[in-house]
Each structure stands twice: as C-alpha cells, then as structure tokens.
C-alpha cells in the first residue's frame, strides 16, 4: 500500500468514526432511559422514565455522562473493526491465498472484535452508567455524588481501586462478543441473500435493510447480559453491595423479578439500533467502494492529492 492509499484509508476511517460519534450523541437519550429502567425499580416503563426525567432533571438529564463515550468512540471503533478485518484476513490466509471467507469466519471475527474492545471500553462504560443513573439535579435540590466523568473516574479509582473501573467487564465481554458476532454475521448473510447472483456489490436498499436488521439482531442477543452488566456496575453506589458476582446477579434477578426483566429494554435497544446501524453500514459501504474504485486513481493526480491533504488535516486534527 502506498503512502497516498494509506492516507486516503485513514481519512475514510476517520469519517466513519466521526459519524459513529454523532450516532452516539443522537442515540444517547434512549441509552440513558435504557440504563435507568434496567437498574432502577422506581421507573415502571420507558414512557414513565422519560416523563420523570424531564420533570425532575430537564432535558439535561438524558445526556449525563455523554462526554466520555463520544470522545472514546474512535478508539473503540478502531479496535472492533480493526480486529474484525484482521481476523478475516488471517482466517482467509489459513485456507490459502484468495480463499473467500466463510460465515463461520465472519462470526468468529466479529466475536473477536467484540471481546477485544473490552480493554479500552470497560472503564468508560462503567463511568457512563454511573453518571446516567444519577437522578439528583439542581432542580431537585439534591447534590449528585459525581460532578462529571473525570470526577467519577478518579473517585472510583480512589475508593474501589483501578480494578473497580472494570467491574462488569465480564458481562460486557459476554454481551459484546456474541452481539458483534451476530451483528456482522447478520449483515453479511442478509447482503448475500439480497444480492442477485453474479452481482459483486449489494444494492443500497439491501445495505440499509441489512444494516438496520443487523443492529437489531445484535442487541437481541446482547440485551440480557446488558442488564446484568449495568446492575453490577451500579451495585454498591447507594449502600452495601448486593451481588457477589455475575452468576449471583443472574440468580437474584431471575428469583426476584423473573426472566422477563432481561428483555425489558429490548424494545428501546432495537428502536435505537435500526436507524443508527442502517446508516453506519451505508457509510461503511460508501467508503469501501470509493477506496476500491476511485480512490487510488484520483490520488495519482497531484492537485487532487494536495486538496485531499488539506481535507485530511481538517478531519484528523
């Protein structure tokens, strides 16, 4: 790969990551509602949580803790998609040069990508959940325990140790591993199914539909463990710790609230996942096709390459 090709690839990856950061911001209010109904019994449902949050905290209540995931989405996205692509290439090379990837390859690569991101995602996700569940606000006259992401990060590290930031990492891995495996496999399978024989690239309607359904399928698999993760991360905030570990949390949750609690937030997860992932894969396909068909030829022109460098500076800095 030449320097120009590599620069063009980096710009396209940065555009995708910038879009995903916007996607996080747009979908964050629904994510806050999801976390709250998973961890707090005071909310009887999605609508009750929305109304109560607006009444007691205002619109700001939906965006607590958003700064950290928005600033770290580039890192986590790089780990997920980088691990996924590298695993696909390694598995293809094992079979021989030019060998196509199988559905099992896609599944295993997605699984690896989902698990790999835990090392960089877990502390930020822990802080996000802690801040999202703070219902105290100036409007209610109650002082919140954490004043912001940095204060929360330092407070937890001081009171519970650095390993405290990784509480919930195991259920997070059990959520994201199978979830991303299902995510990429669903997208790949649907695109293949909806693409006519002999056609190399799927139509845009197939890309949009496959991307949206892939997001919903991923969350359908990941939602039960998402509930356990959030409860372990919030355990002990307002008193003594209730759960001894993952299995104890699962047992206590089923015993006290029934198995249906694991899917209480599935609807809101799917509502958020379909439009976001529909556009994520559309941007991904656009980037891949531009790089494949026109990127290298365009960048051979010195004038275009100069303009590209100016554009790259705007995105990369």
């Amino acid at each position: 790969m030449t320097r120009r090709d590599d620069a063009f690839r980096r710009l396209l990856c940065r555009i995708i990551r910038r879009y995903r950061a916007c996607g996080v911001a747009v979908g964050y209010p629904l994510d806050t509602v999801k976390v709250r109904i998973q961890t707090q019994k005071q909310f009887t449902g999605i609508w009750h949580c929305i109304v109560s949050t607006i009444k007691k905290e205002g619109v700001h209540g939906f965006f607590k803790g958003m700064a950290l995931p928005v600033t770290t989405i580039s890192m986590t996205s790089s780990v997920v998609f980088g691990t996924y692509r590298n695993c696909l290439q390694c598995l293809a090379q094992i079979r021989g040069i030019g060998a196509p990837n199988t559905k099992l390859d896609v599944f295993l690569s997605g699984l690896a990508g989902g698990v790999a991101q835990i090392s960089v995602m877990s502390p930020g996700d822990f802080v996000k959940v802690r801040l999202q569940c703070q219902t105290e606000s100036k409007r209610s006259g109650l002082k919140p325990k954490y004043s912001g992401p940095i204060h929360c990060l330092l407070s937890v590290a001081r009171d519970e140790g650095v390993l405290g930031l990784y509480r919930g990492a195991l259920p997070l891995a059990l959520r994201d591993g199978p979830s991303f495996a299902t995510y990429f496999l669903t997208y790949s399978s649907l695109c293949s199914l909806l693409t006519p024989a002999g056609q190399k690239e799927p139509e845009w309607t197939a890309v949009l539909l496959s991307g949206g359904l892939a997001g919903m399928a991923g969350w359908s698999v990941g939602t039960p463990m998402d509930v356990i993760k959030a409860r372990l991360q919030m355990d002990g905030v307002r008193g003594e710790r209730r759960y001894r570990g993952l299995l104890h949390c699962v047992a206590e949750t089923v015993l006290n609230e029934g198995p249906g609690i694991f899917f209480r937030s599935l609807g809101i997860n799917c509502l958020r996942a379909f439009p976001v992932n529909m556009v994520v894969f559309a941007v991904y396909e656009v980037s891949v096709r531009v790089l494949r068909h026109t990127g290298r030829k365009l960048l051979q022109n010195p004038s275009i390459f100069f303009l590209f460098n100016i554009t790259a500076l705007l995105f990369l800095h």
Side-chain angles (χ1 to χ4, degrees), residues 42-197:
Q42 61 178 302
F43 301 115
T44 58
I46 295 174
W47 184 246
H48 179 240
C49 181
I50 293 174
V51 173
S52 298
T53 301
I54 293 177
K55 183 178 179 180
K56 296 179 181 179
E57 305 168 62
V59 177
H60 169 72
F62 294 106
F63 295 92
K64 291 181 177 179
M66 187 181 72
L68 203 56
V70 167
T71 54
T72 59
I73 187 66
S74 294
M75 186 185 303
T76 56
S77 295
S78 298
V79 173
V80 172
F81 283 92
T83 302
Y84 173 72
R85 296 302 304 177
N86 286 331
C87 286
L88 280 180
Q89 292 177 3
C90 290
L91 291 172
Q93 290 175 359
I94 291 175
R95 292 188 177 85
I97 299 176
N101 287 115
T102 64
K103 299 301 181 186
L104 180 60
D105 292 346
V106 174
F107 183 87
L108 294 176
S109 298
L111 182 69
V115 173
Q117 71 165 342
I118 304 307
S119 59
V120 295
M121 180 184 179
S122 188
D125 186 74
F126 180 89
V127 171
K128 175 187 77 72
V129 170
R130 285 282 177 99
L131 293 175
Q132 284 177 317
C133 291
Q134 286 194 146
T135 55
E136 300 85 358
S137 65
K138 293 181 180 179
R139 182 176 297 189
S140 64
L142 299 174
K143 184 179 179 180
K145 183 176 181 178
Y146 306 114
S147 59
I150 302 300
H151 180 240
C152 179
L153 196 71
L154 295 176
S155 297
V156 173
R158 181 193 64 214
D159 299 336
E160 305 176 41
V162 176
L163 291 180
L165 294 171
Y166 286 88
R167 188 190 303 172
L170 178 57
L172 183 60
L174 294 176
R175 182 198 74 175
D176 284 355
S179 179
F180 273 101
T182 305
Y183 179 67
F184 286 112
L185 179 62
T186 301
Y187 178 75
S188 176
S189 299
L190 287 176
C191 279
S192 299
L193 183 65
L194 297 174
T195 302

Side-chain angles (χ1 to χ4, degrees), residues 23-44:
V24 169
V26 171
Y28 199 81
L30 290 178
D31 186 70
T32 298
V33 173
K34 176 207 73 172
V35 171
R36 289 188 173 191
I37 65 176
Q38 286 177 339
T39 58
Q40 301 181 27
K41 296 181 180 180
Q42 61 178 302
F43 301 115
T44 58

